[in-house]
């Protein structure tokens, strides 16, 4: 029999089986019951990265999926700038991350779903209101925790990485207006200069080392605008939720320019 379901009882009857010498053995039977799916709540995130952004102009919504859970508990923390930069850069850690600041809120969402099914749900990160600009961290409760960090921003930074250049396009999040005369910083191997000012089109350029055999292969860079008036952050490693090595899938790259404006959209067949 082919085992295809969880929490299901199966019976197997195998008469006429042969031993290692080719001799026919007597018939036998056995039965077993497959286990249930574990109780778990996991966050639904874009791609596999552990950092993302929310707009400061709208109430942030968090999506999650749950299995065999009557409720889901979430805890929201603020992050320091240092903690946020460590998380977005993907620096290795010796153990689980623990925020240094106390939690802002903890709340529980009831879940109504059938046994052994995946339930897709959503919850507001701040009780239906917007969050101030800044850096945050959210995790689920229970043994199988799911967590990620995010920034609440008013600025979008679009990155383009070529062989020897990194270009950052800096825009107002809600209107899509290019931001000229703002200073953005870059962090990553060999990027120069460390800070640059955008031109009239909102563009800033940085030199990066060329990838060579065994050198500069991953090239992770993240670009940051964090001053007294604006906050925006982006990484060259952030994906769109689909990887190029997934043949036959559709990949969408989209920059949201505003609630009522058009979208820059590219769909590729990979």
């Amino acid at each position: 029999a082919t085992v295809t379901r969880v929490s299901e009882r199966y019976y197997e009857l195998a008469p006429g089986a042969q031993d290692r010498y080719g001799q026919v053995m007597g018939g036998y039977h056995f039965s077993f019951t497959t286990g249930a799916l574990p109780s778990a709540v996991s966050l639904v995130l874009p791609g596999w990265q552990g950092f993302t952004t929310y707009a400061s102009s709208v109430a942030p919504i968090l999506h999650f999926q749950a299995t065999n859970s009557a409720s889901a508990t979430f805890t929201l923390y603020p992050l320091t700038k240092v903690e946020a930069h460590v998380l977005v850069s993907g620096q290795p850690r010796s153990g689980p991350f623990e925020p240094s600041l106390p939690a802002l809120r903890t709340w529980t969402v009831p879940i109504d779903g059938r046994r052994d099914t995946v339930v897709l749900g959503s919850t507001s990160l701040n009780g239906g209101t917007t969050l101030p600009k800044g850096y945050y961290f959210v995790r689920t409760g229970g043994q199988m925790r799911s967590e990620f960090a995010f920034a609440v921003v008013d600025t979008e930074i679009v990155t383009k990485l070529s062989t020897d250049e990194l270009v950052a396009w800096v825009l107002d999040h809600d209107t899509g207006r290019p931001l000229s005369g703002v200073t953005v910083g870059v962090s990553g191997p060999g990027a120069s200069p460390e800070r640059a000012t955008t031109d009239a089109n909102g563009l800033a350029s940085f030199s990066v080392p060329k990838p060579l055999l065994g050198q500069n292969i991953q090239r992770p860079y993240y670009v940051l605008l964090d001053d007294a008036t604006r906050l925006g952050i982006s990484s060259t490693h952030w994906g769109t939720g689909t990887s190029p090595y997934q043949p036959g899938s559709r990949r969408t790259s989209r920059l949201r320019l505003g609630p009522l404006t058009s979208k820059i959209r590219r769909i590729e067949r990979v």
Side-chain angles (χ1 to χ4, degrees):
T2 300
V3 179
T4 59
R5 297 180 180 180
V6 297
S7 300
E8 189 87 1
R9 187 164 182 81
Y10 287 84
Y11 299 88
E12 179 73 10
L13 179 63
Q18 296 181 354
D19 62 16
R20 61 186 298 179
Y21 304 106
Q23 302 175 102
V24 178
M25 302 170 58
Y28 66 96
H29 74 275
F30 61 92
S31 63
F32 61 92
T33 301
T34 54
L37 293 176
S39 175
V41 177
S42 58
L43 304 178
V44 179
L45 305 176
W48 291 274
Q49 61 267 12
F51 199 102
T52 189
T53 60
Y54 283 96
S56 61
S57 57
V58 297
I61 300 297
L62 178 65
H63 294 272
F64 63 90
Q65 56 188 19
T67 306
N68 291 341
S69 300
S71 62
T73 300
F74 305 89
T75 303
L76 178 68
Y77 299 86
L79 292 177
T80 66
K81 289 184 179 182
V82 173
E83 290 172 332
H85 296 174
V86 169
L87 292 175
V88 73
S89 64
Q91 298 180 20
R93 302 191 300 270
S94 58
F97 172 74
E98 292 296 336
S100 62
L101 300 176
L104 294 173
R105 64 185 296 249
T106 297
W107 70 104
T108 300
V109 178
I111 299 174
D112 183 16
R114 292 181 301 167
R115 179 178 173 85
D116 293 327
T117 59
V118 178
V119 179
L120 182 63
S122 63
T123 181
S124 171
L125 282 169
N126 200 32
T129 63
T130 59
L131 277 170
K133 287 186 296 183
Y135 305 102
Y136 300 89
F137 181 82
V138 65
R139 67 165 37 129
T140 64
Q143 291 183 330
M144 303 179 65
R145 294 191 307 189
S146 182
E147 59 191 29
F148 81 112
F150 63 94
V152 176
V153 303
D154 60 1
T155 304
E156 282 288 344
I157 302 177
V158 182
T159 60
K160 180 66 175 180
L161 182 62
S162 68
T163 303
D164 59 358
E165 184 184 19
L166 169 63
V167 175
W169 189 23
V170 186
L171 310 166
D172 178 82
H173 184 281
D174 291 343
T175 67
R177 176 178 58 87
L179 300 178
S180 62
V182 298
T183 301
V184 294
V186 63
S187 178
S192 178
E194 293 183 354
R195 301 175 70 83
T197 301
T198 57
D199 62 15
N201 295 315
L203 296 173
S205 177
F206 305 89
S207 297
V208 296
K210 295 181 179 179
L212 302 174
L213 183 63
Q215 299 180 12
N216 305 319
I217 303 301
Q218 296 295 329
R219 302 202 299 164
Y221 297 95
Y222 77 91
V223 183
L224 175 68
L225 169 58
D226 189 353
D227 57 25
T229 58
R230 287 196 168 272
L231 177 60
I233 190 169
S234 184
S235 171
T236 57
H237 272 196
W238 290 356
T240 60
T242 303
S243 295
Y245 56 78
Q246 293 177 295
S249 61
R250 294 176 67 85
R251 181 174 61 187
T252 301
S253 297
R254 181 172 63 187
L255 168 66
R256 181 168 182 175
L257 300 180
L260 300 178
T261 57
S262 61
K263 297 175 181 177
I264 299 175
R265 184 179 178 93
R266 184 178 73 252
I267 300 179
E268 303 173 359
R269 173 70 68 175
V270 294

